[in-house]
């Protein structure tokens, strides 16, 4: 679908799942007490850790879009380099997530979080161009000067959903 992009449409086939780690962040402490749970499959410890994360009010995620990591939350507008295979109104599922968390808990991937644990969707708002960019080439004492102008193309995404799935 996208050669260099790490964005997947909703109806595409699921990619491979990676290991996950959950970290409890304790504020206002000088010691580095962190709790990690590394799993290949979803066991009881991972379920309880994900359910603790799920009880939080707001979530953030560090997702890779077009090969670049972005810190996103719900209703964010994200401008990325142009995604060629999408049109305005398409709903994309972001499947390459390095970290998802809240104020108290963080779910980190090894290198990515399993797709079963979260649901992040983005809607394509527009395909736009930036302002005019001028590039000036000059060689001194050679009477050589060239001006090149162009407009960079961008895709604007609205993050419509950032959720942690419930594990039964």
């Amino acid at each position: 679908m996208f050669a260099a992009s790490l964005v997947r449409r909703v109806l595409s086939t699921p990619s491979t799942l990676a290991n996950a780690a959950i970290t409890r962040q304790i504020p206002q402490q000088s010691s580095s007490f962190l709790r990690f749970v590394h799993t290949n499959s979803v066991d009881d410890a991972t379920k309880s850790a994900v359910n603790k994360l799920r009880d939080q009010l707001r979530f953030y995620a560090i997702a890779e879009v077009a090969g670049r990591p972005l810190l996103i939350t719900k209703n964010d507008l994200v401008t990325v380099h142009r995604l060629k295979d999408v049109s305005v109104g398409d709903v994309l599922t972001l499947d390459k997530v390095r970290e998802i968390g809240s104020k108290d808990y963080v779910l980190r991937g090894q290198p990515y979080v399993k797709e079963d644990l979260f649901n992040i969707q983005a809607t394509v708002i527009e395909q736009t161009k930036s302002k005019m960019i001028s590039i000036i080439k000059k060689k001194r004492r050679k009477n050589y000067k060239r001006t090149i102008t162009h407009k960079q193309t961008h895709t604007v995404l609205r993050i419509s959903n950032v959720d942690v799935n419930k594990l039964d």
Side-chain angles (χ1 to χ4, degrees):
M1 176 153 346
F2 303 110
S5 167
L6 296 177
V7 177
R8 181 175 53 97
R9 288 184 190 244
V10 175
L11 301 177
S12 298
T13 60
S15 63
T16 59
L17 302 176
N19 297 339
I22 185 87
T23 305
R24 167 123 167 93
Q25 296 176 344
I26 301 176
Q28 308 279 332
Q29 286 187 352
S30 60
S31 66
S32 60
F33 175 77
L34 299 174
R35 212 174 76 204
F36 290 98
V37 179
H38 297 281
T39 61
N40 284 334
S41 62
V42 180
D43 57 354
D44 292 335
T46 304
K47 286 181 185 178
S48 66
V50 169
N51 288 332
K52 285 182 184 178
L53 177 63
R54 193 176 150 73
D55 291 338
Q56 302 294 310
L57 295 176
R58 295 185 186 134
F59 303 110
Y60 73 90
I62 298 176
E64 285 190 8
V65 180
R68 295 173 183 238
L70 298 170
L71 178 66
I72 57 174
T73 59
K74 188 174 180 179
N75 294 328
D76 279 353
L77 276 177
V78 178
T79 303
V80 297
H81 290 299
R82 179 150 190 221
L83 304 175
K84 295 181 181 178
D85 291 345
V86 298
S87 60
V88 176
D90 283 354
V91 177
L92 306 175
T93 297
L94 305 181
D95 60 348
K96 301 294 184 188
V97 175
R98 293 182 181 180
E99 179 178 306
I100 187 166
S102 66
K103 181 180 175 184
D104 295 328
Y105 296 96
V106 174
L107 184 68
R108 290 193 180 129
Q110 304 282 332
Y112 300 114
V113 179
K114 290 184 182 181
E115 291 181 42
D116 297 344
L117 303 179
F118 64 88
N119 182 19
I120 298 176
Q121 293 182 342
T123 305
V124 178
I125 301 296
E126 65 179 340
Q127 303 252 3
T128 185
K129 292 184 178 182
S130 66
K131 64 179 185 178
M132 188 68 73
I133 299 171
S134 296
I135 301 169
I136 299 172
K137 295 182 177 182
K138 182 180 184 335
K139 294 188 180 184
R140 62 183 185 159
R141 297 186 300 269
K142 303 295 182 194
N143 197 16
Y144 177 82
K145 184 176 179 180
R146 299 286 182 268
T147 302
I148 302 168
T149 57
H150 76 285
K151 290 185 176 183
Q152 186 71 37
T153 55
H154 298 290
T155 300
V156 179
L157 302 173
R158 166 82 65 184
I159 306 301
S160 57
N161 189 15
V162 177
D163 279 332
V164 177
N165 294 336
K166 185 175 183 179
L167 297 178
D168 294 326

